[in-house]
Amino acid sequence: MSGGPLDGVRVVDLTHALAGPYATMLLADLGADVLKVESPTGDLARGAGPYPAGDTVRAFGGYFQSVNRGKRSIVLDLKTAEGTAALRGLAADADVLVENFTHGVMDRLGLSYESLSADNPGLVYAAVRGFGDARSGRSPYLEWPAFDVVVQAMAGLMGVTGTEDGEPIKVGPGIGDIYPGTMLALGVTSALYEARGTALGQFVDVAMYDAILALCERIVYQHTYTGAVPRPEGNRHPLLSPFDVLPARDGWVAIAAPADNRWRTLCELIDRPDLGADPGLATNLLRVARRVEVFDALAEWTTSRSKAEILDRLGGRVPVGAVRDAAEITADPHVAARDMVIQLEHPGVDGTLGVAGQPLKFSRTPARPDRRAPLLDEHGDDVRDGLAHQRSAFGTDRVAS
């Protein structure tokens, strides 16, 4: 893909699983040339599925396709001198290198940031791992491996997610990976912007723990400002009312009207002007103190109506949305209008299959991912030929030093 805002940026992608590949997927969507460097057995996510019916190739499943679309692939065995020399050659000609190995792995391979940036001072070297890199601050958990669920637990997300009297609940999407990956992409683009003036790259480090803690910013100020320790409160908000998920006749709807004027409008629309006129419910703070009463009043109105009836009455007047499943989302005209499900080819099946689209929209340099994820080593021969030409032009010592 070309023409996006990062057109011309060359990225060497050493990532695997989800957090790192999501970051480099964002860069690829934005037009960067992302070369995915894989071990001889490939990224483990290739085998994670799900596979579509009739897939006779099984080169990868939906998981891998979703976060590796638009990339190229080369196999390098970094446990060999040949593999590390090839990687060094790629990094010498790149703008960005991204990795999410366990802390210290690249250093032990002789491919540290310091080593690669000595060859290429303009290189932006980016890393995402559970607890960060010692260069930015030595965490006591530095050597601990991490997954989404672990970070959700440690950084506060699960501590405020769940019912008031229930067990902690993991957030459904892999947000412990995806949000750190998003933050890393922002860090990379920021470092690239800074390097335009200095011609110098730098080390960009995101800890998954840090990113999710930043996402949970509310619990920090609640605790430091008031001494409270926030706990799970179901679907209600501790500081806003109404801000609820309410039962409908055929499912659930979310209604959020904490602004006082929205509250009065909501009361008129549900034929309860008495609530809007009640001085004890006139402000958000007052409604928070009586939020059970507010919830019950709204639920009395929503329970006897379908989701469609509720949306027809409230839609466009107060913030409201039905709780939807994937089938309803993919059929939503908003999703079609905004290209938020894109169709990509999939090896082994006829036609195309959908994955989530790119929410970043640009008026002049559109980000429109249109290439499937790569087969393992699909572009390896071309890249190796390029490295051979590089060695011929600059000498073996520069590439393999």
Side-chain angles (χ1 to χ4, degrees):
M1 192 180 93
S2 64
L6 294 183
D7 188 22
V9 173
R10 294 158 299 181
V11 179
V12 175
D13 177 10
L14 291 165
T15 67
H16 55 280
L18 182 53
Y22 193 87
T24 52
M25 176 271 287
L26 292 174
L27 301 178
D29 278 4
L30 297 178
D33 175 16
V34 178
L35 178 63
K36 185 176 180 69
V37 177
E38 299 185 69
S39 71
T41 56
D43 185 338
L44 288 174
R46 285 185 177 274
Y51 300 101
D55 182 355
T56 58
V57 176
R58 293 208 165 193
F60 52 76
Y63 178 170
F64 188 85
Q65 170 87 299
S66 182
V67 296
N68 288 285
R69 65 202 188 202
K71 304 176 186 179
R72 298 185 295 145
S73 172
I74 182 174
V75 165
L76 295 179
D77 186 350
L78 298 183
K79 296 179 181 178
T80 67
E82 181 182 11
T84 57
L87 192 282
R88 184 173 292 279
L90 292 173
D93 198 38
D95 300 295
V96 179
L97 182 144
V98 187
E99 55 100 344
N100 64 339
F101 292 121
T102 302
H103 183 270
V105 166
M106 289 289 280
D107 299 56
R108 290 192 293 274
L109 291 171
L111 298 169
S112 67
Y113 161 65
E114 291 77 12
S115 173
L116 297 180
S117 64
D119 293 344
N120 178 3
L123 183 68
V124 173
Y125 184 120
V128 57
R129 20 186 167 263
F131 305 99
D133 190 280
R135 295 173 178 87
S136 307
R138 181 170 286 275
S139 168
Y141 316 119
L142 188 67
E143 307 296 339
W144 291 21
F147 279 99
D148 163 58
V149 67
V150 172
V151 177
Q152 286 199 35
M154 292 184 70
L157 194 59
M158 289 174 63
V160 290
T161 304
T163 59
E164 293 178 75
D165 56 351
E167 300 175 354
I169 296 176
K170 180 183 79 69
V171 174
I175 197 167
D177 286 300
I178 289 172
Y179 189 66
T182 304
M183 294 292 284
L184 191 70
L186 173 62
V188 166
T189 54
S190 299
L192 286 171
Y193 180 83
E194 192 274 341
R196 295 193 314 174
T198 64
L200 295 174
Q202 57 185 303
F203 188 85
V204 181
D205 172 23
V206 172
M208 295 162 66
Y209 187 123
D210 298 354
I212 298 305
L213 177 58
L215 185 66
C216 297
E217 47 82 34
R218 172 175 59 82
I219 68 172
V220 175
Y221 69 73
Q222 275 186 276
H223 178 61
T224 61
Y225 276 56
T226 70
V229 177
R231 303 294 185 193
E233 300 192 44
N235 291 316
R236 297 173 186 170
H237 197 289
L239 305 176
L240 303 174
S241 178
F243 205 93
D244 297 300
V245 178
L246 297 139
R249 194 171 64 224
D250 57 350
W252 300 84
V253 295
I255 297 176
D260 299 339
N261 62 330
R262 295 285 194 191
W263 164 248
R264 291 189 292 271
T265 299
L266 174 61
C267 293
E268 293 172 4
L269 292 170
I270 67 171
D271 301 319
R272 289 295 306 271
D274 56 306
L275 294 175
D278 185 343
L281 296 173
T283 69
N284 176 66
L285 286 176
L286 292 170
R287 291 190 295 276
V288 168
R290 296 170 60 183
R291 60 185 182 173
V292 173
E293 180 183 342
V294 169
F295 178 92
D296 290 344
L298 295 179
E300 183 179 2
W301 183 82
T302 61
T303 300
S304 62
R305 291 166 172 80
S306 69
K307 294 186 292 185
E309 290 171 332
I310 295 168
L311 296 178
D312 185 61
R313 177 74 68 88
L314 304 184
R317 303 292 302 279
V318 296
V320 62
V323 176
R324 291 175 168 170
D325 59 28
E328 293 170 313
I329 291 167
T330 54
D332 189 339
H334 167 94
V335 172
R338 302 281 297 177
D339 291 326
M340 282 310 300
V341 172
I342 58 174
Q343 298 294 319
L344 298 176
E345 295 179 351
H346 191 99
V349 298
D350 295 329
T352 61
L353 294 166
V355 297
Q358 174 52 250
L360 285 166
K361 313 295 184 185
F362 298 87
S363 63
R364 190 170 52 80
T365 56
R368 290 179 179 151
D370 58 4
R371 291 190 291 119
R372 61 165 173 80
L375 303 174
L376 182 63
D377 203 43
E378 182 172 355
H379 307 91
D381 288 344
D382 289 342
V383 176
R384 282 183 282 270
D385 286 345
L387 286 171
H389 290 308
Q390 184 188 54
R391 285 193 292 269
S392 297
F394 296 105
T396 303
D397 289 344
R398 170 173 174 179
V399 177
S401 61

